[in-house]
Amino acid sequence: MTNWTPHEKLNAWLDDMVALCKPSSLHICDGSQEEYETLCQLLIHKGVFVPLKQRANSFWCHSDPQDVARVEEATFICSQNQEEAGPTNNWRDPVEMRHHLLKLFAGCMQGRVMYVIPFCMGPIGSPYSVMGVEVTDSPYVVCNMRIMTRIGSSVLNLLEDFVPCLHSVGVPLQPDEKDMAWPCRHDQKYIVHFPETREIWSFGSGYGGNALLGKKCLALRIASVMARDGGWLAEHMLIIGVTNPAGEKKYMAAAFPSGCGKTNLAMLQPSLPGWKIEMLGDDIAWMRFGSDGRVYAINPEFGIFGIGPGTSTSSNPNAMTTIEKNTIFTNTAFTAEGDIWWEGMTLQPPSSLTSWKGVPWSSDLAIPAAHPNARFTVPLSQSPILDPLWEDPKGVPISAIIFGSRRSTVIPLVYESFNWEQGVFIGASLSSEMTAAAKGEVGKLRHDPFAMLPFCGYNMADYFKHWLHFSTKEHLPRIYSVNWFRKNSEGQFVWPGYSENIHVLKWIFERTSGEGDAKETPLGFIPEHMDLSGLNVRIASLFSIDNQAWRKEAEEIRSYFALFGERLPKELIDQLNALEERLGV
Ligand code: OXD
Ligand code: MN
């Protein structure tokens, strides 16, 4: 065995990976600033990174046009038994998949450096953190992983057990062959999870969640399995602290499907005087029950991988401040002055632009200059509204859990569930219009239970059961449904959203204190009064409940639930029946 590191299990795995992938050399990442700068220089030299003139230590880059988002159809859960993966995941037999992957990975790193990234999801040293080691042939991935997770020697020194994560862009290089700027595979992409052995293998893509394996692959798909077995929750949720004008503070977690504004809500600048929002995370929450019976949440991530388009000094000024320096921009447009730009950043595009594809762009082309899933990768520590407890290993106590989605009709601005079980039903029946965050038809309505459809590493019906298990606990957070995206018959949004969402958070805050007027409806409680003076909105258009549309919604949920067969917890059918009864079906 080679002594790559002081860690025996890691050395044995690295020997196997080297023998399989045949890299030209191996580099153990120490996570230092010097190492980061060297890799950035390498990426500049290769023509991948372009340094930005207006933002210190920041870079623009663009990917291959066929490697721009998570590929859900190429994402697999390879549990031994198909039933364990359930009807919402792509399943393959683990033995067959392993056999196939071994062939794909054989020699795949020839001519490339194998980078070894020890990383930690959660604060280093916390009993709740999970360590992984990603092996990759992409220096771009190393730079992004250093921002998104805690990496390097400090992790290696404490490494005990770890989740092995193998990643390759899948393009070996012959001696003297010139590399592509963004090597990836058009024909073969595989994002594979082995939940029983807790392993991740990713091939053919260098983009986002396909390649930064700590995020969706480990902190959600593998962690959801760990959470099921360990009695906790790994969720696609932001975490925020909300402080009222009297100085009282509460924490909330909120699940929204990809591309539905989690980063904007996590960084909200309230329009109501005296209210304050502080962020702990914008994408993932790991939640456990504390000894006092309350739910405590940590963010396992260290950075933000946010969607650029639509972000501006008016929609999300805190994000714009966060990305002033030390940021990697991928698939944005590039200005003549050496800065980045995307649709929605300013009303008018700058006069001369290079598109995300690296070619001259003009508005006459009638195509966006930035890819709709263009991203910024930035350290969370740069957020001007970072919560002081963001790295507290025990996490923050959660008072409210919010489920949101993008729905132009049916779902009102906000309602509160009658109890935990109904809250689980709301999570389970979430559906949303699709966005560019994943490959697929943008705008199409799809079921996305708990915003976890692409991220649950086991049978979704068992995941519902896992949530229902907790219903007998005391001190549970209250559960809410929100929808910022309702439209009127002219197709205009009826709610301004963004900083005005504080009105909704204020009501939720007050409800969790046993205050806040509420009116009972067939769906749950909605606000009796909400002071929306000064806003150009019609309360009726925000809160009306169309019984007929809701009956259709209930029917639709029933046919979706049928997908889970016998495994669906009976409590959810009881909830659906009770909803129909309240609707007067
Ligand atoms: C993300 C996603 O990148 O959900 O957070 O796609
Ligand atoms: Mn996400």
Side-chain angles (χ1 to χ4, degrees):
M1 193 165 60
T2 321
N3 275 336
W4 304 106
T5 71
H7 193 286
E8 265 191 32
K9 180 183 161 198
L10 177 57
N11 291 342
W13 182 62
L14 290 178
D15 274 348
D16 288 349
M17 294 304 102
V18 167
L20 174 65
C21 305
K22 303 202 172 21
S24 55
S25 62
L26 181 139
H27 174 94
I28 312 275
C29 297
D30 63 16
S32 63
Q33 182 65 21
E34 202 182 3
E35 178 182 74
Y36 180 74
E37 284 167 15
T38 306
L39 286 172
C40 291
Q41 284 306 319
L42 173 78
L43 287 163
I44 293 170
H45 182 74
K46 283 163 83 80
V48 183
F49 272 5
V50 177
L52 298 180
K53 295 211 180 91
Q54 273 106 351
R55 296 169 204 260
N57 192 28
S58 298
F59 306 94
W60 172 65
C61 65
H62 61 94
S63 72
D64 182 296
Q66 293 194 40
D67 195 21
V68 293
R70 286 184 293 97
V71 278
E72 294 178 7
E73 71 277 15
T75 300
F76 298 93
I77 301 295
C78 298
S79 43
Q80 273 164 24
N81 174 332
Q82 182 163 7
E83 275 289 294
E84 287 300 310
T88 59
N89 280 313
N90 292 319
W91 177 83
R92 289 285 185 282
D93 177 82
V95 175
E96 279 167 31
M97 179 57 96
R98 224 175 262 282
H99 188 70
H100 184 62
L101 290 176
L102 284 173
K103 280 193 283 180
L104 276 181
F105 276 91
C108 68
M109 295 190 188
Q110 266 169 23
R112 297 189 185 277
V113 179
M114 175 186 271
Y115 297 95
V116 180
I117 317 169
F119 68 93
C120 185
M121 301 312 293
I124 295 173
S126 159
Y128 304 134
S129 295
V130 175
M131 294 197 184
V133 178
E134 177 162 350
V135 153
T136 178
D137 51 9
S138 162
Y140 168 87
V141 164
V142 181
C143 292
N144 278 266
M145 281 291 283
R146 182 174 185 268
I147 297 175
M148 292 307 297
T149 71
R150 295 143 174 109
I151 74 162
S153 308
S154 50
V155 180
L156 191 56
N157 291 340
L158 290 179
L159 195 72
E160 287 175 11
D161 211 6
F162 65 92
V163 177
C165 307
L166 173 59
H167 170 253
S168 173
V169 293
V171 185
L173 283 177
Q174 300 311 315
D176 301 326
E177 186 181 342
K178 190 169 164 358
D179 199 3
M180 297 174 238
W182 187 279
C184 66
R185 289 290 287 265
H186 294 174
D187 55 338
Q188 311 241 37
K189 289 189 178 69
Y190 283 88
I191 323 297
V192 182
H193 308 73
F194 297 97
E196 282 107 0
T197 49
R198 316 254 202 264
E199 286 168 81
I200 300 162
W201 295 56
S202 165
F203 183 87
S205 165
Y207 201 85
N210 298 333
L212 314 177
L213 302 184
K215 191 176 181 62
K216 304 300 185 181
C217 299
L218 195 160
L220 288 175
R221 298 193 191 99
I222 295 293
S224 62
V225 177
M226 292 175 167
R228 175 199 62 190
D229 297 346
W232 51 283
L233 295 161
E235 301 300 327
H236 191 205
M237 290 182 182
L238 63 88
I239 313 168
I240 47 174
V242 184
T243 306
N244 73 4
E248 265 175 89
K249 184 165 188 179
K250 295 185 180 210
Y251 292 94
M252 302 181 187
F256 290 75
S258 307
C260 291
K262 280 199 298 302
T263 309
N264 290 336
L265 184 59
M267 297 187 125
L268 181 134
Q269 204 169 75
S271 61
L272 284 176
W275 287 81
K276 184 161 89 178
I277 302 290
E278 287 161 296
M279 85 183 285
L280 291 96
D282 77 323
D283 197 42
I284 300 179
W286 286 356
M287 301 194 285
R288 288 184 162 75
F289 285 87
S291 49
D292 59 359
R294 299 192 68 184
V295 170
Y296 284 80
I298 67 161
N299 171 15
E301 297 197 278
F302 199 50
I304 304 171
F305 184 61
I307 297 181
T311 310
S312 69
T313 44
S314 54
S315 71
N316 191 342
N318 288 321
M320 295 308 283
T321 307
T322 308
I323 60 175
E324 278 170 3
K325 55 185 184 206
N326 304 318
T327 307
I328 299 169
F329 296 91
T330 309
N331 287 347
T332 67
F334 185 64
T335 72
E337 289 74 38
D339 198 9
I340 49 84
W341 186 83
W342 48 64
E343 277 66 24
M345 185 186 280
T346 51
L347 279 177
Q348 292 303 323
S351 56
S352 173
L353 272 183
T354 300
S355 81
W356 71 273
K357 290 187 177 171
V359 294
W361 179 89
S362 97
S363 51
D364 302 342
L365 292 170
I367 48 169
H371 188 278
N373 191 36
R375 298 282 184 148
F376 52 81
T377 319
V378 68
L380 199 44
S381 59
Q382 285 183 200
S383 166
I385 55 157
L386 197 60
D387 192 276
L389 296 184
W390 77 287
E391 292 206 277
D392 189 325
K394 80 172 190 318
V396 292
I398 298 295
S399 300
I401 291 177
I402 301 169
F403 292 115
S405 60
R406 184 182 287 269
R407 293 291 302 267
S408 31
T409 57
V410 186
I411 315 285
L413 180 64
V414 59
Y415 65 94
E416 181 186 84
S417 70
F418 295 119
N419 52 43
W420 181 265
E421 281 191 8
Q422 193 211 350
V424 174
F425 169 75
I426 293 171
S429 46
L430 206 70
S431 49
S432 191
E433 288 144 27
M434 279 184 72
T435 70
K439 233 178 115 202
E441 199 185 320
V442 172
K444 189 171 168 220
L445 192 65
R446 75 162 178 182
H447 285 275
D448 190 350
F450 289 77
M452 283 288 278
L453 178 74
F455 308 124
C456 183
Y458 62 103
N459 192 312
M460 188 67 89
D462 296 350
Y463 168 90
F464 298 155
K465 205 174 296 160
H466 184 56
W467 266 80
L468 286 164
H469 270 145
F470 300 117
S471 65
T472 50
K473 296 253 185 209
E474 283 174 55
H475 313 300
L476 286 166
R478 291 207 194 177
I479 299 184
Y480 296 83
S481 160
V482 302
N483 177 24
W484 319 136
F485 301 96
R486 208 166 185 185
K487 290 183 179 166
N488 61 19
S489 51
E490 278 92 58
Q492 292 147 338
F493 288 112
V494 296
W495 176 245
Y498 300 112
S499 60
E500 304 300 349
N501 290 335
I502 190 65
H503 289 275
V504 173
L505 297 182
K506 172 176 182 282
W507 182 71
I508 293 175
F509 187 108
E510 289 165 355
R511 290 293 294 165
T512 58
S513 307
E515 301 158 13
D517 293 341
K519 189 160 70 185
E520 195 171 330
T521 75
L523 307 186
F525 295 108
I526 64 169
E528 176 87 68
H529 306 287
M530 207 181 233
D531 180 11
L532 300 177
S533 45
L535 291 184
N536 183 19
V537 293
R538 284 180 45 242
I539 298 273
S541 65
L542 299 170
F543 289 105
S544 61
I545 296 168
D546 175 342
N547 255 47
Q548 211 179 332
W550 265 98
R551 281 186 213 152
K552 269 186 75 186
E553 180 87 6
E555 253 172 56
E556 169 49 39
I557 295 169
R558 194 177 292 278
S559 66
Y560 181 65
F561 280 176
L563 187 66
F564 301 100
E566 291 293 298
R567 219 148 159 150
L568 185 84
K570 180 180 163 301
E571 291 89 333
L572 294 183
I573 294 293
D574 294 344
Q575 284 295 333
L576 181 58
N577 292 341
L579 171 65
E580 285 192 332
E581 213 164 287
R582 293 193 301 268
L583 289 167
V585 176

